[in-house]
Amino acid sequence: MARVLCWSLLLLSAAPVRLLAGEAADLLGVMYWTDRTKGLYRAARDGSEIELIVPRRFIDSIAVDRKGGKLYWTAINGRFTQLWQGNLDGSEQIMLADDLKWVGDVAFDPVDKHVYVSSIAEAKVIRFNADGTERTDFLVGIHKPSRLYVDVKQRKLYWAGHDQRRIDSIKLDGSDRQAVLENLPGVSFAFVIDPVERKIYWSFPRGAIYR
């Protein structure tokens, strides 16, 4: 079996996973992942039809706009990180931003058509329109926000700190910021929410998964 440096995985299925973006859940049979040494891949869920759709190194995070037929990803370019948009097959690539600093994750809200990007270096979450316009600092003054998750039905954004043992949330209108989980056994590397059972699953770098 080939050894792959998989940095992010997005599975378009009925089962919730970390980077599943809202209404992408009803599109069965496709998964996307990033290999930092090769680029962004797409394949069928049975492992067949593997395609390298964005051949580029240091792609870290991916999100999907299923109805709009778009992918979003971040790629390191020297001292800065770029935010890109493309079709679901990787074609028609457009760079939306080229000056982001130490990005942790990207997430998409299919209702308001917003892209959220976490900047670990600048301690904030940035929001864009789907076409990259109207860039705003959605959430500032938070400690090294890393992984993101948009709860479409509850209209909330969740984030985990890069080196903190907690997960927080805020409504997408900017109100009701709160700590969801505190004093975790370790720093959360990734997390996902089951919107049906209202459970949070998170993982630690040492190889454990909690609920």
Side-chain angles (χ1 to χ4, degrees):
M1 180 178 292
R3 184 173 181 267
V4 177
L5 298 177
C6 183
W7 199 252
S8 293
L9 171 70
L10 189 153
L11 181 66
L12 304 190
S13 70
V17 295
R18 178 172 66 81
L19 287 177
L20 184 63
E23 296 191 19
D26 60 2
L27 180 60
L28 299 177
V30 181
M31 60 181 173
Y32 293 86
W33 71 92
T34 65
D35 179 337
R36 297 192 87 200
T37 67
K38 299 289 181 60
L40 199 161
Y41 285 86
R42 179 176 70 173
R45 288 191 62 198
D46 63 2
S48 65
E49 302 178 26
I50 297 176
E51 301 176 84
L52 177 60
I53 60 173
V54 182
R56 173 171 178 166
R57 298 177 65 193
F58 303 122
I59 295 179
D60 282 347
S61 304
I62 47 178
V64 67
D65 172 9
R66 197 269 305 172
K67 285 188 175 180
K70 299 295 182 182
L71 283 175
Y72 296 88
W73 65 90
T74 61
I76 299 173
N77 183 33
R79 293 175 51 239
F80 296 98
T81 300
Q82 300 169 339
L83 172 65
W84 288 82
Q85 178 200 76
N87 293 334
L88 294 180
D89 62 359
S91 64
E92 297 186 17
Q93 299 176 19
I94 301 172
M95 186 171 63
L96 304 182
D98 64 356
D99 60 346
L100 302 172
K101 297 179 181 179
W102 193 10
V103 168
D105 206 357
V106 58
F108 184 77
D109 173 22
V111 176
D112 292 332
K113 305 297 183 183
H114 284 150
V115 182
Y116 293 87
V117 178
S118 61
S119 174
I120 299 174
E122 296 185 296
K124 65 184 179 182
V125 175
I126 305 166
R127 184 175 68 192
F128 299 83
N129 287 340
D131 61 0
T133 60
E134 295 190 23
R135 173 176 176 170
T136 60
D137 290 343
F138 172 71
L139 189 59
V140 299
I142 52 180
H143 183 79
K144 296 182 179 180
S146 180
R147 298 303 178 185
L148 300 176
Y149 182 90
V150 172
D151 186 333
V152 177
K153 291 185 177 180
Q154 299 295 320
R155 311 304 299 145
K156 288 185 176 183
L157 176 72
Y158 290 76
W159 74 93
H162 178 69
D163 56 7
Q164 288 190 314
R165 300 188 302 167
R166 57 186 289 159
I167 296 174
D168 295 85
S169 75
I170 190 170
K171 290 184 178 179
L172 294 179
D173 63 6
S175 66
D176 195 24
R177 175 179 167 182
Q178 58 181 286
V180 179
L181 294 172
E182 296 182 280
N183 301 317
L184 300 178
V187 176
S188 172
F189 179 74
F191 71 97
V192 67
I193 296 174
D194 178 349
V196 178
E197 299 294 335
R198 305 305 304 163
K199 302 289 187 182
I200 299 179
Y201 295 81
W202 68 95
S203 65
F204 295 144
R206 66 173 180 263
I209 298 176
Y210 285 75
R211 184 182 70 184

